[in-house]
Amino acid sequence: MTKKVILVVVEGETEQIILYDYLDAYFAESEVRFDVQRGDILTKWEGTKKTTNIKNTVGQVLSRYLEKNKFLPKDLLAIVHITDADGCFIPHEQVKVSSDVKGSIFYDETEILVGSPKKKEAIEARNTLKAQNIKILATSQSFTLKKNAVPYQLFYFSTNLEHVLWGERNEEPVGKAHKADEFIENLSCSIEEYLRPFLHVNKGNSYDEQIEESWAYLMQECNSLQRSTNVPLLVEMVEQIQRNVQ
């Protein structure tokens, strides 16, 4: 291969719609590829047991992608992994049962509302698992694939992508892709510029310091339900890697 691959692992196709054109143009000397999971691998169930080793799970996802697309680990410049926060760091007491909930779950400013005590237990368990897995992956700087260490970084949208883009935490799945297409078509600046105000860090700090700050912010109190993201930092991440390999 002549171009190194930037592999972007995302939960759904809306992330690809929002980010692909910008990243493909910005990193024209590399090949930007998306691996859409169509689900949240950070809360994946294996049979009747929840995933206990998230690094193994992500490693399997990466290995399957390489095999399917006939890439070698050395073909990868970087692995960018993006997840939704989904309010996973809020205290359990902020997951509340409400008779007003139409459906299984409703995300609010400082709480998650559910329709039954059983659903409350399920969301609390999901939050515990996802928070645990995020803490592991957020501090992982590489993945070793066939004895090759490939730079890696986890990024987030909070509460989720749709919340950051157009302020809706509880977007209906049907029609999200269409709304994402319309959003990008009508955007008057780059997606990176649009997302920057939702990055709650000291802009004068180094990339490493800003990544650490952004995760520290998300993990405080009910911030994982607030409108925030550290996705703009993925540009600095890739640029830093490019400088190191030159």
Side-chain angles (χ1 to χ4, degrees), residues 6-10 78-82 151-153 155 234 237-238:
I6 300 169
L7 178 58
V8 186
V9 181
V10 294
I79 301 163
V80 172
H81 186 178
I82 303 174
Y152 167 94
Q153 183 61 58
F155 298 92
L234 76 81
M237 174 218 180
V238 176

Side-chain angles (χ1 to χ4, degrees), residues 112-125:
I112 297 174
L113 303 178
V114 296
S116 69
K118 184 177 180 180
K119 187 64 177 180
K120 172 179 166 64
E121 289 181 11
I123 293 301
E124 288 175 353

Side-chain angles (χ1 to χ4, degrees), residues 19-240:
L19 295 171
Y20 176 76
D21 286 345
Y22 177 75
L23 294 179
D24 188 54
Y26 195 96
F27 297 113
E29 295 182 0
S30 299
E31 182 177 356
V32 176
R33 291 288 196 105
F34 276 72
D35 187 15
V36 179
Q37 298 304 302
R38 305 195 184 282
D40 186 358
I41 60 176
L42 273 67
T43 57
K44 181 182 176 183
W45 288 70
E46 293 180 348
T48 57
K49 296 181 178 179
K50 293 181 181 178
T51 302
T52 55
N53 191 326
I54 189 60
K55 294 203 73 171
N56 282 352
T57 300
V58 175
Q60 290 166 10
V61 167
L62 299 173
S63 295
R64 283 196 297 268
Y65 183 86
L66 293 180
E67 183 177 353
K68 179 181 178 181
N69 293 276
K70 296 180 170 54
F71 289 147
L72 297 173
K74 65 181 180 65
D75 296 325
L76 298 179
L77 176 69
I79 301 163
V80 172
H81 186 178
I82 303 174
T83 190
D84 289 335
D86 293 331
C88 69
F89 289 103
I90 69 172
H92 282 345
E93 58 265 27
Q94 295 306 110
V95 181
K96 300 178 180 179
V97 178
S98 171
S99 59
D100 295 330
V101 175
K102 298 176 181 178
S104 61
I105 185 170
F106 184 85
Y107 294 99
D108 209 341
E109 189 77 14
T110 58
E111 57 194 14
I112 297 174
L113 303 178
V114 296
S116 69
K118 184 177 180 180
K119 187 64 177 180
K120 172 179 166 64
E121 289 181 11
I123 293 301
E124 288 175 353
R126 180 209 69 172
N127 284 358
T128 297
L129 177 64
K130 184 158 191 172
Q132 169 189 306
N133 287 339
I134 283 179
K135 287 177 180 179
I136 293 170
L137 293 176
T139 56
S140 300
Q141 296 183 336
S142 67
F143 263 85
T144 300
L145 304 168
K146 295 183 179 179
K147 299 182 179 180
N148 289 267
V150 182
Y152 167 94
Q153 183 61 58
L154 181 70
F155 298 92
Y156 68 83
F157 287 109
S158 178
T159 303
N160 48 45
L161 172 66
E162 295 76 28
H163 186 205
V164 175
L165 294 185
W166 53 78
E168 178 54 70
R169 292 184 181 87
N170 300 283
E171 187 64 68
E172 292 292 335
V174 177
K176 284 200 299 186
H178 178 67
K179 287 188 75 169
D181 275 324
E182 286 189 335
F183 178 87
I184 285 297
E185 287 176 8
N186 295 322
L187 194 62
S188 59
C189 59
S190 74
I191 187 62
E192 182 193 1
E193 290 173 315
Y194 181 84
L195 294 176
R196 282 280 171 185
F198 303 109
L199 175 61
H200 300 291
V201 299
N202 183 334
K203 306 301 193 295
N205 285 344
S206 68
Y207 162 77
D208 289 338
E209 290 169 331
Q210 289 187 56
I211 278 288
E212 186 174 341
E213 283 180 69
S214 69
W215 285 112
Y217 170 84
L218 186 75
M219 295 176 191
Q220 291 174 5
E221 300 175 345
C222 293
N223 284 351
S224 55
L225 285 172
Q226 303 307 306
R227 201 175 180 188
S228 67
T229 182
N230 62 358
V231 168
L233 294 176
L234 76 81
V235 172
E236 283 103 311
M237 174 218 180
V238 176
E239 288 179 333
Q240 184 171 283

